[in-house]
Amino acid sequence: MHEHQLSSLQTRISPLAGKPAPPASLVNVAKLVTAYYAEVPDPAVAAQRVAFGTSGHRGSAFERSFNEFHVLAITQAICQYRKAHHIQGPLFLGIDTHALSEPARASALEVLAANGVDVMLAQGDEYTPTPAISHAILAYNHARVTGLADGIVVTPSHNPPHDGGLKYNLPNGGPADGGATGWIEACANAHLKNSMKGVLRISCEAALRATTTHRHDFLNSYVSSLGSVIDMDAIRGAKIRVGVDPLGGAGVHYWPAIADHYGLDLSVVNAEVDQTFRFMPLDWDGQIRMDPSSPYAMKNLVNLNSQNHFDIAFGCDTDHDRHGIVTRSAGLLPSNHYLCVAIHYLFQHRPHWGQQAAIGKTIVSTRMIDRIAAKLGRKLVEMPVGFKWFADGLFDGTLGFGGEESAGASFLRLDGTVWTTDKDGMIASLLAAEITARMGRDPGEIYSELTHELGACFSDRIDAPATAHQKKALSALMPAQVQARELGGEKILSVLSHAPGNGAPIGGIKVIAEHGWFAARPSGTENIYKIYLESFLDEAHLRRLTADAQVIIGATFDAKFSGKSGDADEVANTTGLSI
């Protein structure tokens, strides 16, 4: 990679960003589902093998990276993992609204039933948010020590409509850790390599009739428990007007149920479910992406709330594990800003949380959280990206809150016990309503107050396309390969490749100076890489950090691949990375 090949962020924003999708760009659902069944992945091709990122396996049927064989192989591997680890309770199985989720659920059920696994499907085949699966696992396993439950969520999260995905949740309710996903990934790829000979399967019709297939009321079980984690009386009593855009996702029927159950003045602004997601404004790169942290994807709700329709509004992604908060004062609140407000509020308004309950954040989240933690006198735990790192702490109460820069968070119940150990976009959103109701100010106003007290932070995140080779090279960068001595005009104080909170690799590097930092890491869910930047001075300093980050990353890659002769393909496929 060479400096002259790097381009500015502005050149990467599509001219269609924030605009309606042209009809020709919409996914052909019939062709996509046909490809799911008809296309067969080649295990000799790396991009067509099973690969668990930060949250499960994802891909597209068109690219032979998410097809029926993948789902069959992964599900059989999960069955074998359960047997090897003595997980003998029911498996809670849910789906989101992506086009491939319905056929993938059928494929998974065929294998689960053939293996004699008790499966809990949603009543009425209702869509099921990720947090509802985590909540169901924890509720079932409460006070049990044997016969524990686990779960599968069929979702590619906020990914584009042509993608599919599948993730596995352990008996602690959280995303499977690296040990589990590595085991399952290796086993699934062995099934692909062996032409699926070890995969047990019965017909979908037989699976639905099997005595091991049951129905579970995810929706009402989840909704009726929300009063244990959110002060619903405060929201109702303040009579604030709340707007919700489910972005066509799995919580589309949960929100009206929440409003009815708790008597809230809550309106769903768009209840449409359309597997093309034609109602979504295009994201930064001109693709449809149901990302509630994106100002482009959230443009409809932002425009609506600018007309003062609501006191607070929010949206969630397709499986409802991420949130986006839209305020009157600041519009769509950057996810880092809302994490700060949520932490600052929760640890002062949850008197039953123990003093041992720490604050969890990812290594690429704002350092404003560090300042808030110091103000509150709470321990701060800094983890790699991936919510799996917070699951154990939320489970045993040693973490009161876990949050990611990418708009994912969960926290304890009012009494200090576990709620979910996976991200929960619904409680994060409802918390914004509680904050507005109890404080008389919206989260945007409160964040502004925090900056006056603790100082302002200026942040940015750059997403850019990256090949599998480029992502692999980025994830392997080490501090010793960074030769630069300055960042933003200041001495570089440290370069990290492992998280301070647990010593685990961060899958990239973080370069830190006194008044700013940047981190570079590949996405674990899409073919992009991300540059995170933050200045504690001003916007001009942030721009200087951006320029320096480009140079440092470029020089690091030049040094990494200089002199290589035996791996020409890797060099060729890794150079040319640009932001």
Side-chain angles (χ1 to χ4, degrees):
M1 183 173 69
H2 303 282
E3 184 181 348
H4 71 269
Q5 293 173 306
L6 302 177
S7 56
S8 68
L9 173 63
Q10 285 72 23
T11 62
R12 290 296 178 183
I13 301 297
S14 167
L16 295 176
K19 297 179 181 179
S25 71
L26 300 177
V27 65
N28 185 317
V29 174
K31 287 185 177 180
L32 181 66
V33 174
T34 299
Y36 171 80
Y37 288 108
E39 297 292 337
V40 177
D42 181 354
V45 179
Q48 296 180 29
R49 293 196 288 263
V50 172
F52 277 78
T54 52
S55 189
H57 172 81
R58 301 183 190 181
S60 175
F62 291 140
E63 299 172 0
R64 296 182 183 175
S65 54
F66 189 85
N67 302 85
E68 185 178 39
F69 272 27
H70 294 104
V71 176
L72 297 173
I74 294 170
T75 308
Q76 181 62 45
I78 289 172
C79 291
Q80 293 171 247
Y81 180 86
R82 298 178 97 244
K83 184 176 181 179
H85 293 81
H86 309 291
I87 302 171
Q88 299 169 335
L91 183 143
F92 291 89
L93 176 60
I95 65 168
D96 76 355
T97 54
H98 276 80
L100 292 180
S101 294
E102 295 259 12
R105 174 177 58 182
S107 302
L109 181 62
E110 292 171 9
V111 175
L112 292 166
N115 280 271
V117 175
D118 282 290
V119 179
M120 310 296 281
L121 298 176
Q123 284 187 0
D125 291 328
E126 178 63 69
Y127 300 115
T128 310
T130 286
I133 294 288
S134 180
H135 179 269
I137 294 169
L138 291 169
Y140 182 89
N141 289 343
H142 180 68
R144 281 186 167 91
V145 294
T146 60
L148 299 180
D150 54 1
I152 290 174
V153 192
V154 183
T155 174
S157 190
H158 62 289
N159 279 31
H162 55 71
D163 279 359
L166 187 150
K167 57 185 180 179
Y168 176 56
N169 282 42
L170 294 169
N172 70 359
D177 58 26
T181 57
W183 197 103
I184 293 166
E185 179 181 306
C187 185
N189 282 321
H191 288 308
L192 290 178
K193 186 177 180 180
N194 293 328
S195 303
M196 312 297 284
K197 291 176 182 176
V199 175
L200 305 181
R201 183 184 188 187
I202 61 175
S203 71
C204 187
E205 182 182 5
L208 287 168
R209 292 199 314 265
T211 58
T212 52
T213 299
H214 316 277
R215 293 290 173 171
H216 179 73
D217 189 354
F218 288 100
L219 188 153
N220 285 307
S221 297
Y222 178 90
V223 169
S224 64
S225 300
L226 280 169
S228 70
V229 68
I230 297 292
D231 188 348
M232 293 296 193
D233 291 339
I235 301 173
R236 180 176 59 252
K239 296 182 170 57
I240 61 171
R241 294 173 297 161
V242 180
V244 182
D245 189 346
L247 303 183
V252 64
H253 299 141
Y254 280 62
W255 293 110
I258 292 169
D260 290 344
H261 189 91
Y262 295 100
L264 306 184
D265 184 0
L266 182 152
S267 301
V268 177
V269 301
N270 178 20
E272 185 176 0
V273 174
D274 178 343
Q275 292 171 337
T276 68
F277 293 88
R278 67 180 71 241
F279 48 79
M280 287 293 302
L282 295 173
D283 203 7
W284 62 274
D285 56 356
Q287 290 200 72
I288 294 175
R289 187 179 287 107
M290 289 62 70
D291 181 357
S293 67
S294 165
Y296 305 106
M298 288 284 281
K299 189 173 182 180
N300 290 341
L301 187 59
V302 171
N303 289 345
L304 187 61
N305 207 46
S306 67
Q307 302 167 30
N308 292 328
H309 278 76
F310 306 109
D311 298 300
I312 190 75
F314 34 78
C316 291
D317 69 338
T318 327
D319 67 320
H320 270 49
D321 66 348
R322 303 191 192 201
H323 60 271
I325 310 302
V326 181
T327 67
R328 281 187 174 184
S329 64
L332 178 65
L333 204 59
S335 54
N336 267 322
H337 295 190
Y338 182 61
L339 291 181
C340 292
V341 173
I343 292 166
H344 186 259
Y345 173 85
L346 282 168
F347 283 89
Q348 297 182 90
H349 292 85
R350 294 298 188 264
H352 298 296
W353 288 12
Q355 278 301 311
Q356 85 287 351
I359 299 165
K361 75 162 197 174
T362 53
I363 196 165
V364 295
S365 299
T366 176
R367 283 186 66 186
M368 176 69 91
I369 295 174
D370 303 47
R371 299 176 182 181
I372 292 170
K375 174 190 172 183
L376 296 171
R378 292 279 178 167
K379 179 182 177 182
L380 180 69
V381 181
E382 194 170 9
M383 298 290 203
V385 173
F387 210 77
K388 62 189 177 186
W389 302 108
F390 300 126
D392 287 341
L394 290 168
F395 183 80
D396 64 18
T398 55
L399 286 180
F401 179 96
E404 296 184 312
E405 173 274 343
S406 56
S410 190
F411 45 90
L412 299 178
R413 295 177 191 249
L414 296 166
D415 66 1
T417 59
V418 63
W419 167 252
T420 63
T421 48
D422 209 334
K423 298 188 291 287
D424 190 337
M426 290 186 283
I427 64 163
S429 297
L430 288 166
L431 180 66
E434 179 189 328
I435 292 170
T436 303
R438 292 191 64 177
M439 303 302 292
R441 307 183 303 287
D442 70 38
E445 295 170 298
I446 295 172
Y447 183 78
S448 179
E449 294 167 5
L450 286 172
T451 63
H452 284 96
E453 178 184 357
L454 302 175
C457 293
F458 302 86
S459 305
D460 197 8
R461 189 184 91 189
I462 300 170
D463 295 350
T467 67
H469 288 280
Q470 291 167 342
K471 290 172 63 177
K472 181 180 178 181
L474 271 172
S475 67
L477 289 181
M478 298 298 291
Q481 294 167 328
V482 176
Q483 300 299 311
R485 294 291 177 263
E486 290 192 352
L487 174 65
E490 298 178 318
K491 179 183 177 181
I492 291 176
L493 301 177
S494 61
V495 181
L496 303 179
S497 59
H498 291 70
N502 62 358
I506 64 174
I509 55 170
K510 183 176 182 178
V511 181
I512 304 169
E514 182 179 0
H515 292 102
W517 60 269
F518 82 86
R521 57 173 294 273
S523 169
T525 59
E526 295 185 83
N527 286 326
I528 60 175
Y529 82 103
K530 301 178 181 184
I531 304 291
Y532 307 81
L533 308 111
E534 185 169 56
S535 167
F536 313 131
L537 297 178
D538 51 34
E539 291 285 356
H541 185 241
L542 179 64
R543 289 193 294 271
R544 186 170 182 181
L545 292 177
T546 304
D548 285 357
Q550 295 181 28
V551 174
I552 290 171
I553 295 170
T556 301
F557 267 82
D558 280 344
K560 179 179 176 67
F561 291 104
S562 62
K564 279 202 173 187
S565 58
D567 200 359
D569 287 343
E570 184 178 4
V571 175
N573 285 314
T574 307
T575 57
L577 197 64
S578 64
I579 58 174

